[in-house]
Amino acid sequence: MSARMTARVLKGVVGALAVAALMVPGAAAKGPGGGGGHGGGGGGGGTGEVAPNSLSVPAVFVGGPNPYGLTCDGGYTEPTGDPWTGYTLPGYYYVQGVNIWQASCGEDAPGATVDAEWGDNLGGDARLKVGSPIRVEIGLFDQAVNGYTGWTVQKLEPAQLDRVSPYGTSAIATDTGYVSDPETPFGETRVWAANATLSIVNADSGVPVYDGPATAEINSTGRIVYGYNLRVPAAGDYTITFTFPKVNIDSTDLGAVGPTADTVSFTATVAPGGGKGGGKNH
């Protein structure tokens, strides 16, 4: 998704001798590999929300409790365990899938006014073709200022594929060990909406590819993202429609429609073979 992470200043500068003296007992010289998945739902729709990664970006759950087993009382949880190092990005990091932490969140919100953004592969110049997986993603951003705490998560091996690289948040050296670097208020709050639905229809034939629940997961940067892994058997235009009950989408560039502006659509053009496809909001 489009990064909405604010620039941050590391808290504290420690010299080389101090760093050597402050090595955390048991911290690995080489960090663990493996990255978290991006997006949510699978080809075939997925059957429910999953949380393979720690929530790093604050979230509001609208219309019900959170489906990830989080503690959503506005508080947050610092990373557990020792940090890791040895990545292309220098320094120590608390790593997704290894260490555990949780950004602030709130649940059972009655409604929200949100901005929405399509995933980069739909909104950009991505190659959409028959027979290849097409990642369909959308994120919702709360317009309210919540004062929640979150963490910036970075891709630790920039040269690797997103799905392969580990991701982590900075561990800062102090005179007693390492601490994480939370930000309050964090510059972004994601929204999850109960009873969200997704429809994908061949615009030429009217035949649906998928019509059912829209699922979301916590991706490798710790954001809640709605997603679907799409494969289509034939070239053409496909209309992708998400509906989020109790959410008012304040994004005219996404073509929000409906009495409560809770629905957005996108037309993706899928090329045969290895051609390039595009898309447009409507």
Side-chain angles (χ1 to χ4, degrees), residues 253-279:
D253 60 323
L254 290 182
V257 297
T260 59
D262 61 359
T263 300
V264 289
S265 295
F266 184 94
T267 298
T269 300
V270 180
K276 275 193 174 182

Side-chain angles (χ1 to χ4, degrees), residues 53-76:
N53 301 298
S54 293
L55 182 72
S56 303
V57 173
V60 172
F61 296 86
V62 175
N66 83 88
Y68 306 111
L70 306 174
T71 300
C72 289
D73 57 5
Y76 64 95

Side-chain angles (χ1 to χ4, degrees), residues 147-175:
Y148 284 159
T149 297
W151 284 265
T152 292
V153 171
Q154 303 177 74
K155 184 179 179 181
L156 302 181
E157 296 291 350
Q160 294 184 4
L161 296 174
D162 288 353
R163 67 175 182 271
V164 175
S165 173
Y167 288 74
T169 187
S170 294
I172 310 303
T174 72
D175 57 358

